[in-house]
């Protein structure tokens, strides 16, 4: 079934008390859609929503890493609104540190949010989507899910994993009529680079001055990023409503430019290794 055209659609959005998720919730409520809004803090979400009409809102305090908690949240959304039409896996946070500085706990926390949380939500919604042969999953990745930079290793590891999972998913469920998209924003003017959102390593190592300088530069960036979260949220709604967006929907001219450069760099890299690559086939008899 295409995006509901006869009545309000029902959305399940994660990471909703700040930034892109909050803006998405506001715009969806203005449209008259139903929103199940997952957050770690319903109080923060409520305060951030200000005077918005909440009659179509179900705030859900949920730990995304908890499979049962996520399943219960999805059941509560279905109880309140009926079938869910669109899921947006938006919750996420940046982390700036060298690979060797990242502790096991820091790495696992990132994957809890960006991968295991997403997987929990997918397991909870896909059976109903498959049965109804409808539904749309939009996973918020990043340009850093397509190209990597020093200091962003943990974040890139999470987003690259999300890209792989999502590309497989898209191919697996297309036959059930379920749509899947990746959204890959560039720098966007949310709380992402503010100290309450951005993760930093508990332990630092000597010799990574360039990463410390880059971290300082990023902490000074809030308020100057190119991307407009209002336009980005509207673009995410357009991805769902149109149903025609490409699997990889870049957002922002910075994201587009970096993605294109990365394709060129990848091509050059593959060509540089071509001679050796073709030496390992088993020769046909
Ligand atoms: N802003 C950018 O420059 C940028 C660029 C590319 C991609 N992105 C991606 O866009 C998405 C939204 O980020 P944003 O820019 O809106 O940043 P934000 O303003 O910091 O908001 C991030 C949201 O993610 C949730 N979140 C953060 N840490 C979490 C954790 N440990 N566990 C569960 N939820 C957590 C929060 O939800 P609650 O506090 O409500 O639980 C928060 O509302 C993220 O996936 C991010 O990676 C952002």
């Amino acid at each position: 079934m295409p995006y509901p055209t006869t009545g309000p659609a029902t959305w399940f959005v994660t990471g909703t008390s700040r930034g892109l998720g909050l803006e998405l919730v506001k715009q969806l409520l203005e449209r008259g859609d139903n929103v199940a809004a997952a957050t770690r803090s319903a109080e923060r979400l409520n305060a951030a929503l200000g005077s918005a009409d909440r009659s179509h809102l179900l705030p859900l305090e949920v730990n995304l890493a908890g499979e049962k908690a996520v399943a219960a949240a999805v059941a509560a959304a279905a109880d309140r609104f009926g079938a869910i039409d669109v899921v947006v896996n938006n919750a996420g946070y940046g982390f700036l540190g060298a690979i060797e500085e990242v502790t096991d706990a820091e790495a696992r926390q990132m994957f809890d949010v960006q991968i295991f949380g997403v997987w929990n939500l997918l397991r909870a919604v896909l059976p109903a989507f498959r049965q109804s042969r409808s539904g749309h999953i939009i996973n918020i990745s990043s340009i850093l899910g397509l190209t990597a930079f020093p200091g962003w290793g943990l974040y890139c590891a999470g987003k690259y994993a999300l890209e792989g999972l999502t590309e497989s998913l898209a191919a697996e469920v297309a036959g059930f009529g379920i749509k899947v998209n990746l959204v890959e924003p560039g720098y966007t003017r949310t709380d992402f680079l503010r100290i309450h959102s951005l993760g930093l390593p508990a332990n630092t190592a000597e010799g990574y001055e360039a990463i410390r300088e880059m971290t300082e530069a990023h902490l000074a960036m809030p308020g100057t990023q190119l991307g407009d979260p209002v336009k980005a949220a509207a673009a995410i709604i357009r991805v769902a409503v149109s149903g025609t967006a490409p699997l990889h929907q870049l957002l922002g001219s910075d994201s587009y430019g970096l993605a294109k450069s990365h394709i060129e760099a990848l091509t050059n890299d593959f060509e540089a290794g071509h001679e050796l690559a073709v030496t390992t086939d088993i020769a046909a008899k």
Side-chain angles (χ1 to χ4, degrees):
M1 197 177 73
Y3 186 83
T5 48
T6 49
T10 295
W11 293 62
F12 191 108
V13 183
T14 68
T16 52
S17 75
R18 294 190 169 117
L20 207 46
L22 173 63
E23 183 54 37
L24 190 54
V25 171
K26 285 182 178 169
Q27 290 187 26
L28 292 171
L29 292 176
E30 272 168 31
R31 285 170 59 83
D33 283 343
N34 302 316
V35 188
T39 176
R40 290 167 298 172
S41 167
E43 194 184 334
R44 188 164 57 233
L45 170 63
N46 189 41
L49 280 173
S51 60
D53 177 2
R54 286 148 169 82
S55 49
H56 294 267
L57 175 73
L58 177 65
L60 292 162
E61 233 169 59
V62 52
N63 169 16
L64 297 172
E67 184 171 17
K68 284 187 181 151
V70 172
V74 166
D79 268 0
R80 165 82 188 269
F81 300 124
I84 295 168
D85 299 299
V86 187
V87 168
V88 183
N89 281 299
N90 166 73
Y93 63 96
F95 189 98
L96 278 175
I99 295 289
E100 75 163 276
E101 295 171 334
V102 175
T103 63
D104 182 72
E106 287 164 345
R108 285 174 197 280
Q109 196 198 352
M110 175 65 70
F111 277 76
D112 266 349
V113 180
Q114 293 202 155
I115 291 300
F116 301 120
V118 169
W119 221 313
N120 285 338
L121 189 46
L122 292 176
R123 272 191 296 263
V125 296
L126 281 171
F129 278 13
R130 249 188 313 110
Q131 213 170 21
S132 64
R133 303 189 80 79
S134 69
H136 198 147
I137 289 154
I138 300 176
N139 288 343
I140 310 301
S141 176
S142 166
I143 182 55
L144 294 183
L146 293 168
T147 185
F149 291 94
W152 286 99
L154 175 56
Y155 182 69
C156 289
K159 291 300 193 193
Y160 269 63
L162 181 63
E163 294 264 336
L165 177 156
T166 309
E167 288 189 19
S168 290
L169 177 70
E172 284 173 11
V173 301
F176 298 121
I178 301 169
K179 296 201 170 76
V180 178
N181 289 97
L182 281 155
V183 169
E184 292 130 341
Y187 283 119
T188 309
R189 218 171 284 187
T190 63
D191 282 11
F192 185 76
L193 293 174
R194 295 194 190 276
I195 199 67
H196 55 251
S197 282
L198 186 68
L200 295 172
N203 310 309
T204 53
E206 272 176 44
Y208 290 110
E209 286 75 21
I211 291 179
R212 299 289 89 75
E213 282 166 25
M214 191 267 270
T215 302
E216 287 310 310
H218 277 82
L219 285 169
M221 222 183 258
T224 68
Q225 298 100 319
L226 184 64
D228 181 343
V230 176
K231 291 180 180 169
I236 293 167
I237 294 172
R238 194 163 143 192
V239 165
V241 172
S242 75
T244 57
L247 173 57
H248 296 269
Q249 179 61 61
L250 302 164
L251 292 185
S253 55
D254 54 349
S255 184
Y256 181 82
L258 285 165
K260 294 285 275 190
S261 306
H262 188 58
I263 290 288
E264 206 179 306
L266 267 183
T267 303
N268 292 341
D269 211 37
F270 297 156
E271 292 310 322
H274 174 253
E275 197 183 319
L276 182 59
V278 296
T279 62
T280 57
D281 296 357
I282 294 171
K285 288 206 177 124

